[in-house]
Amino acid sequence: MARQKQLEYSEFQGAMLDEGKRRRKAAKIIAVLEHFRGPLGGLTVGDVGCSAGFIADELSKVAGHTFGVDIDVPGLRKAADRFGATVAFVCGDGTALPFPDNSVDVLVFNHIYEHVVDPDAVVADMHRVLKDDGVLYLGLGNKLGIMEPHYKLPFLSYLPEKAADRYVRAFGRADHYYERFRTRRGLRRMLRAFHVWDYTFPVLATPQSFAGGELFPGAAGRAAQAVLARAPRAALRLVLPLVPTYIWVATKRPARPAGAALPQPPQPL
């Protein structure tokens, strides 16, 4: 079956309307961006795949001009009704963003690529609209993450298309499995036009620095965080292929993180 655009995504994925969770994600995104390039004040910032607009709303509180782009019309209506006074929401396709070349300072592309028909084309168009010194934040699901994040079924993303369809139907989760994840190597190929820094382990090892304290609740969580903070990078690299989500920052030109030193510093790819 040919893949079609996922229209009205917020109507069947309730997580997009979980305001608390989306705002916590936004806090992490902002913290990572500010660690990499400094304050966002005065900058033009866009959220590609904004849906109901919670992340874009949080970005608007720290940036100069903020916009959100999506094809999720019901989500965009909700976003415009609540946040339209401070955020410009646009119904548009990520493969043809309605902005001039070299016009945007910062773009956010958070857990979107697996839902679009042609993620390579979306990445290419984000490269086009970013300024030469612009920054792209990426939250990227990993094909080899054991628990599939949308349907909570283990090893779902490992399966061929027809087997995955049967799996989600057998558990009553969906009629077919739409999402298409890539491995770490495939994601790096998708971003081959960019210079990329990996923030995955900095965020996991020092979540308090990235507004992510809820990642490690309780004593067991604090112990896990302490282990991550002290683990040799060579050991961490061994588990990278199975990490469920990568947090990357990409630039068109070579750049380095501007923020303070961390126990597990960001690494260039």
Side-chain angles (χ1 to χ4, degrees):
M1 183 179 67
R3 296 182 84 210
Q4 303 295 321
K5 294 178 180 178
Q6 279 193 308
L7 304 172
E8 302 184 348
Y9 185 67
S10 62
E11 296 291 283
F12 58 88
Q13 268 291 350
M16 304 305 295
L17 303 179
D18 185 336
E19 182 167 351
K21 186 174 182 179
R22 301 299 289 174
R23 291 193 185 277
R24 289 192 295 274
K25 285 182 181 291
K28 178 182 68 178
I29 290 167
I30 291 167
V32 169
L33 286 168
E34 290 186 337
H35 185 272
F36 186 83
R37 68 151 299 157
L40 305 182
L43 301 183
T44 298
V45 179
D47 182 14
V48 178
C50 65
S51 192
F54 299 119
I55 290 175
D57 180 53
E58 291 294 324
L59 290 167
S60 74
K61 297 173 184 178
V62 297
H65 171 67
T66 307
F67 63 84
V69 180
D70 211 314
I71 57 173
D72 176 5
V73 173
L76 286 172
R77 288 198 188 105
K78 293 180 178 74
D81 286 346
R82 287 193 62 181
F83 313 123
T86 54
V87 180
F89 291 102
V90 181
C91 185
D93 190 326
T95 63
L97 295 166
F99 305 106
D101 296 0
N102 304 309
S103 61
V104 180
D105 295 297
V106 177
L107 285 173
V108 172
F109 193 54
N110 186 53
H111 292 284
I112 301 298
Y113 87 89
E114 69 269 22
H115 300 288
V116 302
V117 176
D118 189 351
D120 297 283
V122 177
V123 168
D125 212 53
M126 291 192 295
H127 189 280
R128 176 186 66 81
V129 304
L130 271 177
K131 293 181 179 178
D132 287 340
D133 62 349
V135 175
L136 170 62
Y137 173 97
L138 299 131
L140 302 165
N142 176 16
K143 180 182 178 69
L144 300 182
I146 292 171
M147 185 62 71
E148 203 283 342
H150 304 92
Y151 302 99
K152 310 301 182 187
L153 294 171
F155 302 109
L156 173 60
S157 55
Y158 287 53
L159 298 177
E161 181 178 340
K162 291 182 179 179
D165 287 348
R166 289 194 292 270
Y167 192 10
V168 294
R169 283 197 296 268
F171 283 85
R173 305 293 170 85
D175 291 331
H176 70 277
Y177 183 52
Y178 182 91
E179 288 71 19
R180 296 291 182 270
F181 286 98
R182 300 186 183 190
T183 64
R184 182 177 175 84
R185 181 178 295 180
L187 293 168
R188 189 64 190 93
R189 282 198 299 269
M190 184 174 76
L191 290 153
R192 59 190 174 274
F194 286 92
H195 303 271
V196 179
W197 285 81
D198 191 340
Y199 269 79
T200 306
F201 285 127
V203 171
L204 290 174
T206 50
Q208 68 279 2
S209 297
F210 297 100
E214 80 283 351
L215 288 173
F216 291 101
R222 289 191 294 273
Q225 177 189 334
V227 169
L228 281 170
R230 294 194 299 267
R233 186 53 69 110
L236 294 177
R237 279 197 293 269
L238 294 176
V239 302
L240 264 176
L242 298 179
V243 170
T245 297
Y246 300 119
I247 299 169
W248 291 355
V249 173
T251 58
K252 293 171 71 169
R253 291 179 175 176
R256 296 186 65 84
L262 298 165
Q264 293 291 350
Q267 298 284 311
L269 297 186

